[in-house]
Amino acid sequence: MLQGAAAFAAMWRAIPLLRPLGLAARRRWVLALLERLYTLFLRVRPRIQRLAGGRVSS
């Protein structure tokens, strides 16, 4: 089972338009960069949801 950026990369490989990004993520440094960006996104996601008027579940 995959999680984090690796899970997204696997999904991207199945979507023709995003396949190049998914294939690039097979490189260790690209996946590490995507994982870092994903972690940063998770920190700001609740704020983004509040700004968009959505509810944040805990």
Side-chain angles (χ1 to χ4, degrees), residues 2 5-26:
L2 301 171
F8 279 98
M11 289 188 292
W12 293 336
R13 285 191 294 273
I15 301 169
L17 186 64
L18 299 175
R19 185 169 170 77
L21 185 56
L23 292 173
R26 287 186 170 167

Side-chain angles (χ1 to χ4, degrees), residues 36-57:
R36 178 75 176 139
L37 292 171
Y38 182 66
T39 301
L40 293 171
F41 167 74
L42 289 178
R43 289 183 188 164
V44 298
R45 181 178 167 209
R47 283 176 255 169
I48 293 170
Q49 285 181 300
R50 279 193 293 276
L51 288 172
R55 296 183 72 177
V56 177
S57 59

